[in-house]
Amino acid sequence: MRLLRHLTKPLFKTQLIKQSPVYHALFKAPVHPRYFSSANGLPSTYNPVTPQNIAHFTQILGENNVITDADDLLYYSTDWMKKYIGDSAVVLRPETTEQVSEILAYCNKNLLPIVPQGGNTSLVGGSVPIKKEIVLLLTKMNKVLDFDATQGVLQCEAGMVLETAINLVGKHGYDIPYDLGARGSCTIGGNVSTHAGGINFVKYGPLRGNVLGLEVVLPSGKILNMMNTARKDSTGPDLKQIFIQSEGTLGIITKVALRCEASSPEKKLMFLDVTEYSHVLQVLNFAKQKFGRNLSAIEYMDHQSYDLVHSFKHKLLDFPFTYDQSLDQSQVKKWYV
Ligand SMILES: Cc1cc2nc3c(=O)[nH]c(=O)nc-3n(C[C@H](O)[C@H](O)[C@H](O)COP(=O)(O)OP(=O)(O)OC[C@H]3O[C@@H](n4cnc5c(N)ncnc54)[C@H](O)[C@@H]3O)c2cc1C
């Protein structure tokens, strides 16, 4: 990966976060260095962002889409958990692939480092800028391009929020082939870039099998159109696969074609408690055998998690299992499926 990064030269990504002392003092955020990040130190050849650069970005994007306000910069430099706090000179909000292309070509030429950002929910700090990286925010590129209700194929821009896509295809009786807790904020482009999984994995398998097409802008600014919508394509190497899970290190994903599945007309939920972890696996095995493709999701939690939710006395939730609260809950051996 590091080799690829050097070959493609630019600009993308990430390293050890140096927390801003001011922010740390204000929010007392803990220090969480990214030990396994790609490079511990941007090459010294990268340039700082200058007022001339900002003027150029403004020419491409318009004033509203070039953010330099300190509070806003801090917002986009802080991850969802407020665990990683980075540091950026400017946030750019392109609205078209051509604008992304222009920005990348310019940054590549001028050795300005970039980090792409979708919903900023990745939990591992991958979308957080460091050392004044430029944040390329994709959330304005959120349009639906097409939904083929016969084939069940959604084509959209990469900044579309997952929940918007779920609601959109849901109206036509389809499911997006994955779902996760961050659905209200994370973007389809971020999902593809991280190869996100989630609660429907057992039914639809890994996301890369359901991505039919991508449009990607390379660091040079070249636009790669791989927006295939056929369910099977044997026309040669499947180039788009190297961009899935590459978290922006090889290019910026700007459009996605996703295979969707007809949703089950009826849904049933079962909640079980068992006394051993091996029983959880037995339940999984039994459910797969019994329900086959009709099994949409399976999740489990230990007693400590159940007790934690219970302790909040969530008004909207019915707790089907009662337990002896006088016991030391950390010692209770129970699992919930
Ligand atoms: C409550 C909660 C539940 C979660 N559950 C799950 C789960 O079940 N399974 C799971 O896998 N993850 C889960 N996550 C993690 C997270 O939601 C996923 O990683 C999600 O895919 C990130 O999407 P995003 O748009 O927020 O991407 P970001 O966090 O903005 O970015 C993630 C990475 O992708 C890069 N990137 C973003 N957009 C693009 C683009 N268009 N082109 C190129 N690179 C890009 C960024 O630079 C960064 O490296 C959860 C997170 C939360 C907060």
Side-chain angles (χ1 to χ4, degrees):
M1 185 58 77
R2 189 171 288 189
L3 176 66
L4 275 172
R5 230 163 256 173
H6 284 295
L7 285 177
T8 52
K9 274 242 166 118
L11 308 177
F12 302 115
K13 304 248 54 147
T14 48
Q15 328 136 317
L16 201 68
I17 279 189
K18 284 192 177 154
Q19 281 190 260
S20 141
V22 177
Y23 195 91
H24 185 66
L26 281 176
F27 296 98
K28 295 196 172 40
V31 178
H32 287 270
R34 284 184 284 171
Y35 293 108
F36 300 106
S37 66
S38 58
N40 287 329
L42 285 172
S44 54
T45 42
Y46 288 121
N47 291 321
V49 175
T50 62
Q52 287 76 17
N53 300 144
I54 301 279
H56 187 79
F57 294 136
T58 307
Q59 219 179 341
I60 301 173
L61 299 175
E63 223 167 277
N64 287 342
N65 291 327
V66 178
I67 298 171
T68 50
D69 173 80
D71 287 346
D72 292 339
L73 290 180
L74 183 58
Y75 176 81
Y76 291 110
S77 302
T78 307
D79 91 316
W80 195 83
M81 299 263 277
K82 299 192 170 38
K83 250 166 102 176
Y84 303 103
I85 298 105
D87 175 17
S88 177
V90 60
V91 175
L92 304 178
R93 296 192 298 181
E95 295 184 32
T96 66
T97 300
E98 289 67 31
Q99 288 178 343
V100 174
S101 162
E102 265 194 76
I103 292 166
L104 292 202
Y106 178 81
C107 289
N108 203 15
K109 194 164 153 236
N110 292 286
L111 289 173
L112 300 168
I114 286 179
V115 61
Q117 191 177 100
N120 202 8
T121 67
S122 69
L123 302 178
V124 291
S127 47
V128 172
I130 48 170
K131 292 200 176 174
K132 303 274 180 207
E133 280 172 323
I134 294 168
V135 175
L136 192 70
L137 188 63
L138 276 301
T139 49
K140 273 203 160 180
M141 294 183 62
N142 59 2
K143 289 186 271 311
V144 56
L145 303 169
D146 186 51
F147 181 67
D148 180 339
T150 311
Q151 298 292 329
V153 178
L154 172 70
Q155 294 183 66
C156 65
E157 291 182 331
M160 175 175 276
V161 171
L162 173 60
E163 191 165 51
T164 309
I166 289 173
N167 293 339
L168 193 138
V169 306
K171 284 189 193 138
H172 299 274
Y174 280 91
D175 283 338
I176 293 288
Y178 61 95
D179 194 3
L180 38 130
R183 54 148 65 181
S185 310
C186 66
T187 60
I188 304 277
N191 301 151
V192 174
S193 302
T194 55
H195 195 219
I199 56 174
N200 296 129
F201 188 91
V202 70
K203 182 162 183 160
Y204 299 126
L207 175 55
R208 65 168 65 253
N210 296 306
V211 175
L212 301 178
L214 288 183
E215 180 188 77
V216 176
V217 182
L218 297 180
S220 62
K222 185 177 168 57
I223 300 169
L224 272 189
N225 183 350
M226 302 171 285
M227 281 296 279
N228 182 38
T229 55
R231 290 202 163 203
K232 180 172 186 296
D233 175 12
S234 307
T235 55
D238 192 359
L239 187 58
K240 69 177 179 299
Q241 291 296 338
I242 66 165
F243 295 97
I244 299 171
Q245 197 182 304
S246 71
E247 293 208 29
T249 52
L250 303 176
I252 306 289
I253 296 173
T254 43
K255 289 178 188 156
V256 181
L258 264 187
R259 183 177 87 128
C260 306
E261 288 281 345
S263 48
S264 317
E266 217 178 304
K267 288 207 168 75
K268 292 263 190 289
L269 176 70
M270 204 182 284
F271 196 19
L272 309 170
D273 71 334
V274 293
T275 46
E276 283 177 33
Y277 177 68
S278 64
H279 296 164
V280 173
L281 299 179
Q282 281 175 25
V283 171
L284 168 64
N285 201 26
F286 177 82
K288 283 203 292 196
Q289 306 280 342
K290 188 84 183 157
F291 305 118
R293 294 274 293 176
N294 288 328
L295 179 66
S296 300
I298 187 154
E299 297 228 310
Y300 72 90
M301 60 178 147
D302 59 17
H303 181 73
Q304 283 68 43
S305 310
Y306 185 85
D307 182 50
L308 185 70
V309 180
H310 198 274
S311 67
F312 281 109
K313 297 196 171 44
H314 200 301
K315 298 281 182 294
L316 299 173
L317 292 177
D318 265 347
F319 287 89
F321 304 115
T322 50
Y323 56 90
D324 186 351
Q325 290 185 39
S326 64
L327 296 175
D328 174 0
Q329 298 302 321
S330 66
Q331 300 306 316
V332 177
K333 297 272 174 284
K334 266 197 168 199
W335 300 84
Y336 302 88
V337 194

